[in-house]
């Protein structure tokens, strides 16, 4: 019973998931002026559940500067996006620059200090860095 309750608490709630009705909707989401983090995860992945508190904190701390899209690989569009980016393991975290191009990739464990450093590099004013 306790394991079931814990698993439900550590699963990413549906309201936090990025939902796209097609690839065009995803491509539109990448036009956000903020750089983007894609988190590819699965509800059946224990490491994904372990990373949820880290992702929640990151979203709270820098969500105003970093668009975070949590993508379920069980969803058909999620599977297509995983194939597009060559994702084979969950969780995988991709950092996309303002042009929507992949700059960094982390598999299994998110390196928060490196993400924050990368984000600072993305948001330096032109001519200042």
């Amino acid at each position: 019973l306790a394991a079931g309750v814990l698993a439900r608490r550590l699963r990413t709630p549906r309201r936090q998931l990025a939902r796209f009705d097609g690839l065009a909707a995803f491509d539109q989401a990448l036009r956000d002026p903020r750089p983007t983090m894609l988190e590819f995860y699965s509800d059946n992945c224990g490491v994904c559940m372990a990373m949820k508190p880290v992702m929640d904190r990151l979203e709270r701390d820098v969500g105003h500067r970093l668009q975070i899209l949590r993508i379920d690989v069980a969803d058909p569009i999620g599977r297509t996006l995983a194939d597009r980016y060559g994702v084979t393991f969950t969780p995988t975290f991709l950092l996309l620059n303002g042009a929507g191009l992949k700059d960094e990739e982390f598999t299994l464990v998110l390196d928060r200090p490196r993400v924050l450093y990368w984000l600072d590099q993305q948001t330096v004013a032109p001519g200042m860095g």
Side-chain angles (χ1 to χ4, degrees):
L1 179 64
V5 170
L6 182 60
R8 281 192 297 280
R9 291 192 75 185
L10 290 177
R11 283 198 178 106
T12 299
R14 296 288 162 216
R15 64 181 160 66
Q16 285 184 296
L17 296 180
R19 293 283 183 202
F20 305 105
D21 57 6
L23 292 176
F26 171 78
D27 292 336
Q28 178 66 35
L30 290 185
R31 293 189 182 105
D32 188 289
R34 298 170 292 171
T36 301
M37 173 185 277
L38 304 179
E39 175 196 9
F40 290 91
Y41 88 99
S42 167
D43 273 344
N44 300 320
C45 166
V47 177
C48 298
M49 288 184 214
M51 292 306 301
K52 183 183 179 304
V54 174
M55 287 298 295
D56 289 348
R57 180 173 171 222
L58 187 68
E59 197 163 31
R60 275 191 314 275
D61 293 349
V62 297
H64 60 288
R65 295 174 42 210
L66 178 67
Q67 173 180 225
I68 297 174
L69 301 176
R70 299 176 188 209
I71 300 170
D72 185 351
V73 297
D75 180 77
I77 296 292
R79 181 75 253 146
T80 299
L81 290 172
D83 291 343
R84 176 192 277 188
Y85 289 102
V87 171
T88 55
F89 296 101
T90 56
T92 293
F93 308 91
L94 303 180
L95 294 173
L96 309 180
N97 63 27
L101 302 174
K102 181 172 73 169
D103 270 351
E104 295 271 352
E105 178 174 339
F106 304 95
T107 303
L108 300 178
V109 177
L110 183 65
D111 184 342
R112 180 184 167 89
R114 189 163 172 162
V115 169
L116 296 176
Y117 175 79
W118 176 86
L119 183 59
D120 286 344
Q121 300 310 302
Q122 300 303 304
T123 55
V124 169
M128 298 293 291

